[in-house]
């Protein structure tokens, strides 16, 4: 008898909901008491009908008072461990489900044989939380005592590398590359050189989509969906493409979110989605932090005039008749209602200083331990000299050579090493933030909780901390 293991994780914060995970002859039903826990199932050949059939179905169902409202599945071969079918075969297609005023976020990792420290068990997480499109207005209604408190009392959720939820623009470049101009990618992305040492250029160029997917895809929802989930802080790295990329492809020469030199979402598209959201959610406030960390030199940064023009163009499309305005970093210290009354519900700052938990060494990990050590090192005194504090939950395991190489050679659309660590690390980082932020980080500064594949559990932690800080 052969089998393939699956570790399942769930988070529920809405009354009356349960999540059922099942395989042939195996079932787990989780409720809110099972939040931040991990449980295991096995797709065992002995439980699959048919003498020569090794494929069994793994399925999750979200139940509201025993009534199914959503499900997703994958068919898993218990002999090879491979996915044979299903609707969770691509991380980018695992987009959050908005239904009955709740949001269901989920993800699936297709594990290999456990090489390079990676797990050999498939991973699946599901969160069920309230629709948080209006959470700021609910916590601090206009005219309430809470709304008189400074904006800095909020704990804001940030999708890590928020512009990397699409391969559309990077594919435009990759599909135009050949073995000759592949050199430009190798020059600007050191990790690609790891493969260049193993493969000839004509082979490497065909692996590029898998390499880029493993390196750069950190989100799976649209900006509009992230806002609906409750995200209110976005670090965006807008820059023009490497000139060669616009020469050989149909990519328009304008600013995109850049991961090194990999183009993600266009900056104007990002701004349009934020403005459209703020038009219809008049008590919400969104913060944009323009940065250029890690962008290669050939990707030209927009000038101040170009950034201002992009913002003005986006605001000109607002349906608010000029009532929606852009504020600066000074808005962080003003009261919530003051920002609403002035229309400055879109705060934009450029390369502001921050008290950040991230270091390259700590986050190049497959475990939560070094990230938690960074959290433990932070304190109120450290906050005081910085305008904002950032706690980063995600691992950057693609920085580990063996992990990235194995993930790419075993690649399909659900084998990113970033999805391998997502739920397992959240199980430890989010409870730490929930239990420690109020006592360890007490400065009058906004706190940002950043994560890959943004989900309801991350948002709930931030909203509950915001509620407590507004009550102080």
């Amino acid at each position: 008898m052969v089998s393939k293991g699956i570790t399942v994780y769930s988070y529920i914060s809405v009354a009356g909901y349960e999540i059922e995970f099942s395989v042939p002859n195996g079932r787990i039903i989780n409720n809110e008491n099972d939040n931040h826990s991990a449980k295991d199932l096995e797709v065992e050949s002995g439980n699959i009908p048919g003498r020569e059939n090794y494929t069994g179905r793994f399925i999750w169902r979200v139940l509201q008072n025993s009534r199914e409202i959503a499900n997703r599945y994958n068919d898993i071969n218990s002999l090879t461990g491979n996915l044979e079918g299903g609707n969770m075969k691509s991380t980018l297609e695992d987009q959050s489900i908005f239904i009955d005023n709740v949001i269901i976020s989920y993800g699936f990792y297709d594990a290999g044989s456990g090489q390079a420290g990676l797990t050999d068990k498939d991973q699946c997480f599901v969160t069920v939380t309230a629709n948080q499109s209006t959470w700021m207005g609910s916590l601090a209604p206009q005219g309430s005592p809470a709304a008189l408190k400074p904006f800095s009392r909020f704990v804001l959720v940030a999708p890590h590398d928020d512009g990397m939820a699409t391969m559309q623009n990077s594919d435009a470049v990759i599909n135009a590359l050949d073995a000759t101009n592949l050199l430009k990618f190798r020059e600007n992305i050191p990790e690609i050189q790891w493969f260049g040492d193993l493969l000839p250029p004509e082979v490497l160029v065909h692996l590029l989509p898998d390499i880029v997917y493993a390196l750069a895809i950190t989100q799976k929802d649209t900006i509009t969906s992230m806002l609906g989930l409750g995200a209110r802080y976005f670090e965006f790295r807008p820059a023009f493409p490497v000139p060669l990329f616009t020469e050989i492809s149909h990519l328009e020469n304008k600013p995109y979110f850049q991961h090194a030199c990999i183009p993600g979402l266009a900056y104007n598209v990002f701004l349009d989605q934020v403005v459209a959201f703020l038009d219809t959610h008049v008590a919400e406030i969104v913060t944009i932090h323009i940065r250029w960390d890690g962008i290669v030199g050939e990707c030209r940064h927009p000038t101040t005039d170009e950034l201002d023009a992009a913002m003005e163009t986006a605001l000109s499309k607002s349906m608010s008749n000029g009532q929606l305005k852009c504020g600066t970093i000074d808005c962080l210290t003003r009261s919530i209602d003051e920002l609403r009354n002035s229309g400055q519900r879109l705060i934009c700052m450029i390369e502001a200083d921050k008290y950040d938990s991230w270091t390259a060494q700590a986050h190049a990990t497959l475990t939560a331990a070094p990230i938690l050590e960074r959290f433990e090192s932070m304190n109120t005194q450290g906050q005081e000299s910085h305008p904002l504090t950032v706690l980063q939950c995600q691992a950057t395991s693609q920085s580990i050579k063996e992990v990235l190489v194995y993930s790419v050679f075993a690649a399909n659309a659900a084998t990113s090493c970033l999805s391998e660590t997502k739920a397992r690390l959240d199980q430890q980082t989010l409870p730490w933030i929930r239990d420690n932020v109020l006592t360890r980080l007490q400065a009058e500064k906004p706190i940002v909780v950043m994560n890959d594949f943004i989900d309801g559990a991350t948002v709930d932690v931030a909203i509950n901390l915001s509620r407590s800080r507004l009550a102080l």
Side-chain angles (χ1 to χ4, degrees), residues 325-345:
K325 299 180 176 66
C326 182
T328 66
I329 192 171
D330 296 336
C331 293
L332 299 182
T333 59
R334 295 167 62 186
S335 77
I336 298 164
D337 262 1
E338 187 180 355
L339 296 179
R340 290 170 176 157
N341 293 335
S342 68
Q344 292 176 305
R345 294 186 298 110

Side-chain angles (χ1 to χ4, degrees), residues 311-438:
M311 182 64 73
E312 289 172 9
T313 298
L315 290 174
S316 71
K317 300 175 186 177
S318 169
M319 305 301 291
S320 66
N321 295 318
Q323 296 302 304
L324 179 61
K325 299 180 176 66
C326 182
T328 66
I329 192 171
D330 296 336
C331 293
L332 299 182
T333 59
R334 295 167 62 186
S335 77
I336 298 164
D337 262 1
E338 187 180 355
L339 296 179
R340 290 170 176 157
N341 293 335
S342 68
Q344 292 176 305
R345 294 186 298 110
L346 180 52
I347 301 170
C348 187
M349 48 192 172
I350 300 176
E351 292 205 308
D353 187 26
K354 55 179 179 171
Y355 185 44
D356 199 327
S357 67
W358 188 88
T359 68
Q361 182 178 1
H363 285 256
T365 180
L366 293 169
T367 71
I371 297 175
L372 294 176
E373 287 178 11
R374 288 291 302 153
F375 289 177
E376 292 279 354
S377 73
M378 301 178 75
N379 53 54
T380 301
Q381 184 179 2
Q383 290 182 278
E384 294 291 359
S385 59
H386 308 272
L388 70 160
T389 299
V390 181
L391 297 168
Q392 300 203 34
C393 300
Q394 75 287 340
T396 52
S397 57
Q398 75 273 36
S399 300
I400 305 171
K401 180 177 180 178
E402 296 79 10
V403 169
L404 178 64
V405 171
Y406 176 76
S407 297
V408 169
F409 284 144
N412 63 49
T415 56
S416 166
C417 51
L418 301 180
S419 58
E420 193 267 359
T421 56
K422 160 65 181 173
R424 188 172 65 254
L425 268 60
D426 283 1
Q427 184 188 5
Q428 299 176 67
T429 55
L430 295 181
W432 190 99
I433 292 171
R434 178 197 64 199
D435 296 340
N436 291 283
V437 159
L438 292 179

